[in-house]
Amino acid sequence: MAVRTAVRAAVVPAVGAPLEITGIELPEPGPGQVRVKLAAAGVCHSDLSLSNGTMRVPFPAVLGHEGAGTVLAVGEGVTRVAPGDEVVLNWAPSCGACHACSLGEVWLCANALAGAAGVHARRADDGADLHPGLNVAAFAEETVVGADCVLPVPDGIPLTDAALLGCAVLTGYGAVHHSAKVREGETVAVFGVGGVGLATLQAARIAGASKIVAVDVSPEKEELARAAGATDYLIASETTAREIRALTGKQGVDVAVECVGRAVTIRTAWESTRRGGRTTVVGIGGKDQQVTFNALEIFHWGRTLSGCVYGNADPARDLPVLAEHVRAGRLDLGSLVTERIALDGIPAAFENMLAGKGGRALVVF
């Protein structure tokens, strides 16, 4: 099978190992596959969670799941896209046949990551098999994916900005509109002002929230948060829940969205909501992050705590909606990006995430 050897990618050799920027050999697209030249790829916290073992993936692997690019070639039987088409990568395509899909909950599809355990490419120097971390292996100049892993870029969306639609924006928007179902006039607190948190703040503003409280450990993110829609900004501390209640007439917010994935933050988000309030957890935490509640407080407060996978989104349904918000000026994709980097800047972007710095780092090829 013909291969192209002049493709560079960020490869994770093993759990916890440093990223290697190296050459890889990609196969030509087979039946039902598409080859995409990447224009941009966002560096998401989920990629960090995969590299450090919080989420399991076969190694060595090419990570990256938030991307957009141009179709170079298609395999036999592919009719939904053609060479030259601009596409957004969909890292969690639904099968349409499992129990979750039959219920319309495509974000919980049992087979969404069926391709992630397969061989994606080979490392050029030693021929080692490489796996796609979340199906699409976007931390590469080019990638080969299943045809169900691409969606057309909506009209009027710049290709590099479109990469953000593949994860951060779908997740943040969906957390507000699909999971928490924020209603006009409600109050919202968003914990964690990274790429997803900034998208969540914009989504809360679009939903018509009357007060939007952003919470983060970094004072430097206040300007970003307020530009995205936050009306108030708090530095995370042991008194955060009390401060949020003070901002809301001692009641607490109607909705809290947790974008960090830490037990203490989840607990604080829950405590920050009013009696009967709703907390949506977007952040991905490790098994060691145990959140505890006593039976009496669960009864007394009547609050709801729910997980949120991929924003409870259906990309095929939601991308056109997001595009309309972008075209109308309600959603600013570019403002989520605080750093544009090359492929070899990904390790530093991981370090910045660990340090709580910045919003979304975007690899621009």
Side-chain angles (χ1 to χ4, degrees):
M1 181 177 290
V3 295
R4 175 180 172 180
T5 58
V7 175
R8 294 172 70 244
V11 175
V12 182
V15 174
L19 278 171
E20 299 175 355
I21 310 301
T22 185
I24 67 171
E25 297 177 348
L26 277 174
E28 294 299 321
Q33 293 183 326
V34 176
R35 185 164 181 150
V36 178
K37 178 180 178 62
L38 272 297
V43 183
C44 179
H45 203 281
S46 296
D47 297 308
L48 180 60
S49 296
L50 289 167
S51 69
N52 64 24
T54 299
M55 298 166 63
R56 292 187 178 182
V57 64
F59 289 100
V62 180
L63 302 183
H65 61 280
E66 182 184 87
T70 303
V71 174
L72 292 178
V74 300
E76 182 183 351
V78 175
T79 59
R80 63 186 298 176
V81 292
D85 288 353
E86 294 184 346
V87 293
V88 178
L89 297 181
N90 175 16
W91 62 269
S94 55
C95 71
C98 69
H99 181 63
C101 286
S102 73
L103 297 174
E105 298 174 351
V106 297
W107 54 91
L108 298 178
C109 175
N111 302 306
L113 296 178
V119 174
H120 167 71
R122 298 182 187 278
R123 197 155 47 190
D125 56 1
D126 60 8
D129 289 340
L130 299 172
H131 302 272
L134 283 176
N135 274 328
V136 296
F139 287 165
E141 294 169 329
E142 297 178 13
T143 187
V144 174
V145 301
D148 57 351
C149 288
V150 297
L151 292 166
V153 173
D155 292 341
I157 308 300
L159 188 54
T160 52
D161 287 353
L164 302 166
L165 296 174
C167 184
V169 179
L170 270 175
T171 300
Y173 182 87
V176 169
H177 290 266
H178 301 323
S179 180
K181 294 180 172 63
V182 175
R183 299 180 289 267
E184 186 174 1
E186 288 193 310
T187 53
V188 177
V190 178
F191 290 75
V193 185
V196 173
L198 288 170
T200 303
L201 289 168
Q202 291 202 46
R205 173 176 45 76
I206 291 170
S210 60
K211 182 178 285 291
I212 305 171
V213 184
V215 183
D216 199 274
V217 297
S218 172
E220 288 75 24
K221 291 187 180 182
E222 181 171 0
E223 184 177 349
L224 283 172
R226 289 189 181 275
T231 58
D232 299 88
Y233 190 83
L234 299 176
I235 303 301
S237 71
E238 294 180 354
T239 63
T240 296
R242 192 182 314 148
E243 292 176 71
I244 289 176
R245 288 195 294 273
L247 289 171
T248 53
K250 299 183 179 179
Q251 297 299 311
V253 289
D254 297 297
V255 170
V257 182
E258 199 273 357
C259 304
V260 181
R262 295 183 63 234
V264 64
T265 317
I266 294 170
R267 175 75 203 200
T268 302
W270 186 80
E271 291 177 352
S272 299
T273 62
R274 63 170 173 81
R275 197 174 188 188
R278 309 174 317 269
T279 298
T280 289
V281 179
V282 174
I284 301 172
K287 293 180 179 179
D288 60 329
Q289 295 291 316
Q290 298 292 320
V291 187
T292 60
F293 306 90
N294 67 60
L296 180 59
E297 65 180 337
I298 291 175
F299 162 78
H300 172 76
W301 288 104
R303 294 164 170 154
T304 301
L305 176 69
S306 61
C308 178
V309 178
Y310 201 9
N312 293 9
D314 178 347
R317 174 198 66 196
D318 291 330
L319 281 184
V321 175
L322 294 172
E324 182 55 35
H325 285 307
V326 173
R327 289 191 291 263
R330 292 183 292 267
L331 179 60
D332 183 357
L333 299 178
S335 68
L336 305 180
V337 180
T338 53
E339 187 178 20
R340 295 176 186 267
I341 60 175
L343 195 63
D344 56 10
I346 296 175
F350 277 2
E351 292 300 319
N352 285 338
M353 277 194 290
L354 286 170
K357 295 179 180 178
R360 194 48 124 222
L362 187 68
V363 180
V364 180
F365 293 92

